[in-house]
Amino acid sequence: MRTTRIFVRAGLTIAAAAALPLALTAPSASAAGGITVTATGSTVTVTTAACTNGGDASLMSNGQASFAQGRQAELTNGSATWQNVTTGVHTVAVVCEDGSAAGSQTVTVGATATTSSTTAPARGVRGGLGGGSEDYGTYTLAAGGALVLLAAGGGGAWYLRRRGAQHRL
């Protein structure tokens, strides 16, 4: 009965170790959406990866409440630019060709450049010693999972062997 419990726990550990690389290779839904708005001097630029088939962007000044009231521009390669924008707070909204909203963001146009984003970087941020994130491929993650399974199997065999050695004379 005691051996059965050990095998059940070891089996659950191995199953979790096998599922981890598969979970890490699944695409993230938040990485595709969002917009990034940049204001440099009197030029405002919006970029997005959410609208793969194109779309429209609108720059709305103070007092303009709807997409149609703003200065509209067509997305070209995922970006749109407005020149000679007046100083103040503006809202930029992006609507994709299929009618879905990619996002909206406020931006302050003035003497200094401002940058804002609605999404975090796709795979975290790099920092510390040597970088904190790397985009590994499916094969690398599968090989790592196989090494974890091999280590779990070897550790389990060693544990069972050591348990049996205590009862020997």
Side-chain angles (χ1 to χ4, degrees):
M1 177 148 155
R2 192 160 180 77
T3 306
T4 305
R5 287 184 191 167
I6 292 171
F7 284 132
V8 169
R9 289 182 184 164
L12 291 174
T13 304
I14 291 170
L20 182 63
L22 296 176
L24 292 176
T25 59
S28 174
S30 64
I35 64 172
T36 301
V37 179
T38 306
T40 306
S42 65
T43 302
V44 176
T45 303
V46 61
T47 57
T48 182
C51 300
T52 56
N53 295 329
D56 293 315
S58 179
L59 176 73
M60 297 168 280
S61 300
N62 197 9
Q64 295 175 328
S66 69
F67 189 88
Q69 291 176 342
R71 289 174 53 186
Q72 294 185 15
E74 186 175 344
L75 290 176
T76 305
N77 295 327
S79 67
T81 302
W82 296 272
Q83 303 286 333
N84 301 323
V85 178
T86 60
T87 303
V89 178
H90 302 277
T91 302
V92 176
V94 176
V95 176
C96 298
E97 188 70 29
D98 62 0
S100 64
S104 66
Q105 183 71 37
T106 59
V107 63
T108 303
V109 177
T112 60
T114 59
T115 303
S116 61
S117 177
T118 59
T119 59
R123 294 266 191 194
V125 294
R126 291 178 180 258
L129 300 173
S133 175
E134 188 70 31
D135 188 15
Y136 293 110
T138 304
Y139 296 115
T140 305
L141 292 175
L147 288 174
V148 169
L149 288 175
L150 184 64
W158 177 80
Y159 176 74
L160 291 175
R161 188 179 143 269
R162 295 287 297 163
R163 285 200 56 191
Q166 294 175 358
H167 300 293
R168 294 183 195 161
L169 293 177

